[in-house]
Each structure stands twice: as C-alpha cells, then as structure tokens.
Amino acid sequence: KRWKIEDSIIGMVACVSRIAASLVYAMAPTRTIYFIGPVLDMFSSAGATSLRSIATKLVKTDEVGKTSSLISISEALVPVIYSPVYSKLYLSTLSTFPGAFYLISAALAFPAILIYLTLFILRRKDLKEDAMNEKQEDEKQESKSKDNEITRF
C-alpha cells in the first residue's frame, strides 16, 4: 500500500520467484547452485497474501469471512493432493532426473501468472473507466454552472 503496488503485481512477482527457484532446484549441477534457490524463492510466499487481498476486495464485507475460510480450506487440501503426485513423480524419475518434480511447481505457476495478469489488466481498465466517468461528471457540472451563470454588463 505504501509503495502503491497492485496486489496482482505482487502475485506475479511471487509466481516468477517460484518459477526461478524451481528451475534452479531442478537444474542445479552443484550444491552451491542449489542453495541459491531459497534466495530466489524468497518472494514466493507473497502470492498467498496477494490472493487473500484480491479475494477480500472482490467480495462484499459480510462475505469476507466465508472467502477467507474457503481459501484456508483450499490451502489445507493442496498438500493432500500434490504430495502423492510429487512423491510418485520423484520415485519414477529418481534415476534419470531427480529434480523433475520441481518442474511441476514451475509449470503450475504459469497459469497463476496469467490469472494475475488478467486481474491486473481488468483493474487498470476499471480505473480508466472510473477516471473517464469522473471527468464526464465534472464536465457536466461545469456546463450546468455556466448555464446558470448570470452575466452583467
């Protein structure tokens, strides 16, 4: 809020951070390179915060609690679904490419980037429309005041 950064931009940065870290984890040829991953992954947790922020701004105030609980339930169910998938892929590719399961994380971040980008574009469009509507209202007010103006000679 202080830096006036859109929530969707923060979400995109988080996704790019996740992708970069996942690629480093998956492709790291040495331990030293592998340990660069957490530095790149530093901003990935901001995605959940931006998602909550966007979601609470889109719903009515009396629905914020329901929305937050739905997000929390979804976050709790994700490990139940993805843990077996990651384990199966890891065991299947352990001898050929042990970092393959990190590529799933990277691949799943791409649709999220598209969603955040769409939200950003829609938000910008709404802001432009609001600005145009305000400008038209101001012009109407000015024309009304000019019509009611009495000129004295």
Side-chain angles (χ1 to χ4, degrees):
K1 187 174 182 177
R2 176 179 285 183
W3 295 335
K4 294 179 175 49
I5 299 174
E6 293 272 336
D7 295 328
S8 53
I9 296 293
I10 295 170
M12 284 189 276
V13 168
C15 290
V16 169
S17 174
R18 172 66 45 94
I19 291 169
S22 295
L23 291 175
V24 167
Y25 291 142
M27 308 292 187
T30 64
R31 280 183 154 194
T32 307
I33 301 296
Y34 185 84
F35 288 119
I36 292 173
V39 174
L40 296 173
D41 206 18
M42 187 170 27
F43 298 110
S44 66
S45 62
T49 307
S50 67
L51 173 67
R52 287 180 185 275
S53 177
I54 291 169
T56 56
K57 290 176 183 173
L58 292 175
V59 297
K60 297 177 184 173
T61 54
D62 61 334
E63 307 248 332
V64 170
K66 294 175 188 175
T67 304
S68 294
S69 66
L70 180 64
I71 292 171
S72 296
I73 290 170
S74 300
E75 288 175 346
L77 289 177
V78 165
V80 173
I81 297 167
Y82 287 111
S83 292
V85 172
Y86 281 122
S87 295
K88 179 81 171 161
L89 182 66
Y90 179 73
L91 291 173
S92 299
T93 61
L94 182 59
S95 61
T96 57
F97 183 38
F101 71 98
Y102 287 116
L103 298 178
I104 291 177
S105 294
L108 291 174
F110 279 108
I113 288 175
L114 295 176
I115 291 168
Y116 282 125
L117 183 61
T118 303
L119 290 171
F120 177 76
I121 291 168
L122 291 174
R123 174 81 171 138
R124 289 291 177 185
K125 184 179 175 185
D126 286 345
L127 289 175
K128 283 182 182 178
E129 287 176 4
D130 289 346
M132 289 186 68
N133 289 339
E134 286 180 21
K135 185 177 178 182
Q136 289 174 351
E137 287 295 320
D138 290 344
E139 289 172 357
K140 285 181 185 178
Q141 290 294 333
E142 284 181 28
S143 67
K144 281 184 181 180
S145 64
K146 286 182 181 178
D147 290 342
N148 295 332
E149 188 177 290
I150 299 173
T151 307
R152 294 185 183 168
F153 293 102

